Amino acid sequence: MFKTRLLSGIVLVILALVLIITGKEVLLFSTLAISCIGMYELYRVFKIEKSLLAALGYIAAIVFYCNLEWNFIPDIMILFMAFMILLMFVFVFAYPKYHANDVMAVFFGLFYVAIMLSYVYQIRMLERGLYLAFLVFLCSWGCDTCAYCVGMLIGKHKMSPKLSPKKSVEGGIGGVAGAAIGGVVGSALLTALYCFIFRSQMNLTGTEIGILTVIAAIAGLISMVGDLTASAIKRFFDIKDYGHLIPGHGGIMDRFDSMIITAPIIYFL
């Protein structure tokens, strides 16, 4: 199991490198595909993944992503309002086929998965975005890895035993340290080290490296909330994993749960 998880992790890192470096439409449509798969996995939890409501969710995600590149909608609120109105139409005219919870779940899925994950692409399109986009992966996956390692070694106090039994308070602290703080002696800050290595390409000053390190620390802390949110949904519906697409990791929602909330935090900070 560990070898499978490790190999899958290596493949994911390679794919992330290729997609971020390539950028443009390749990253746009790859992120869209990942978002739609994640939405499908989430909708499957609510047993509506193949419904007309879900189809509207997928279409809204496609329109949203295309608008990021080609800006054909003058105000994005038009899309969200149209999406909500269409969901209401289906709910009313198909009544009582769908429950009100189904409508809310579809609307939630669009925002929770597709829109929040789109900030990976939006960060990439910023000035120096090629290098900034990797901070999302450092903060989310780096936090997950460090939290897991520290938790396994010294974890005694469960951070949220009902949602994620293997996550400890010590692991949580280790995750933040892994994402931003690191040791002065022996180990380096993941984010600070990364920024230091690419400081010339990113045209960073020492102050800016410090600011990005603080941003990474905040994002690393919040990424655990994203992880636990996805776990809470699984526990509530009594499922182990969202899917089996990624060997050793589960589905898209199992692997990208922390990134979903980390990407917009890093973008706005």
Side-chain angles (χ1 to χ4, degrees):
M1 181 66 179
F2 175 76
K3 289 183 179 180
T4 301
R5 187 179 178 88
L6 178 62
L7 290 174
S8 296
I10 293 173
V11 172
L12 285 174
V13 170
I14 293 173
L15 286 175
L17 286 169
V18 172
L19 292 175
I20 294 297
I21 291 172
T22 304
K24 298 181 179 179
E25 286 84 359
V26 173
L27 178 61
L28 175 73
F29 290 114
S30 297
T31 310
L32 170 59
I34 292 171
S35 296
C36 286
I37 295 172
M39 290 171 66
Y40 179 88
E41 292 177 349
L42 183 63
Y43 291 160
R44 184 166 55 193
V45 173
F46 295 92
K47 297 180 171 43
I48 54 172
E49 74 278 9
K50 297 180 181 179
S51 66
L52 179 57
L53 289 175
L56 291 175
Y58 307 139
I59 293 171
I62 293 171
V63 174
F64 176 80
Y65 272 82
C66 290
N67 187 67
L68 288 177
E69 179 67 21
W70 293 289
N71 298 309
F72 50 83
I73 301 177
D75 185 346
I76 198 61
M77 285 303 297
I78 295 174
L79 171 62
F80 300 147
M81 291 178 66
F83 178 49
M84 175 58 77
I85 291 170
L86 286 174
L87 291 178
M88 290 176 177
F89 263 93
V90 174
F91 176 60
V92 170
F93 289 104
Y95 188 85
K97 182 177 181 179
Y98 300 111
H99 194 279
N101 289 346
D102 298 334
V103 177
M104 290 183 278
V106 172
F107 197 79
F108 169 72
L110 174 68
F111 274 85
Y112 177 50
V113 183
I115 293 178
M116 294 183 74
L117 198 57
S118 74
Y119 282 96
V120 173
Y121 171 77
Q122 295 189 61
I123 290 173
R124 177 62 178 85
M125 298 307 293
L126 293 173
E127 182 183 358
R128 296 180 284 186
L130 171 60
Y131 299 96
L132 292 172
F134 286 113
L135 291 180
V136 178
F137 297 89
L138 281 175
C139 292
S140 56
W141 290 355
C143 181
D144 286 346
T145 302
C146 292
Y148 176 82
C149 293
V150 174
M152 288 294 101
L153 290 173
I154 64 174
K156 295 179 181 179
H157 303 91
K158 302 305 179 183
M159 185 164 62
S160 185
K162 290 186 177 180
L163 295 185
S164 195
K166 293 186 178 181
K167 282 188 175 61
S168 64
V169 174
E170 292 85 353
I173 295 171
V176 176
I181 299 178
V184 175
V185 178
S187 63
L189 307 147
L190 285 178
T191 300
L193 179 61
Y194 170 79
C195 292
F196 180 78
I197 292 173
F198 294 103
R199 64 190 184 282
S200 297
Q201 293 88 336
M202 297 175 72
N203 193 27
L204 293 175
T205 64
T207 301
E208 289 174 327
I209 292 177
I211 292 172
L212 286 173
T213 302
V214 172
I215 289 175
I218 296 171
L221 176 63
I222 296 176
S223 74
M224 290 184 288
V225 177
D227 188 9
L228 290 171
T229 297
S231 295
I233 295 173
K234 287 193 294 184
R235 297 296 178 268
F236 186 84
F237 287 93
D238 195 26
I239 60 173
K240 185 178 183 296
D241 293 314
Y242 283 99
H244 306 284
L245 182 64
I246 308 173
H249 293 269
I252 291 294
M253 290 295 296
D254 296 294
R255 181 65 279 182
F256 289 81
D257 50 4
S258 57
M259 190 179 298
I260 285 172
I261 198 170
T262 303
I265 293 297
I266 291 179
Y267 176 86
F268 287 108
L269 288 180

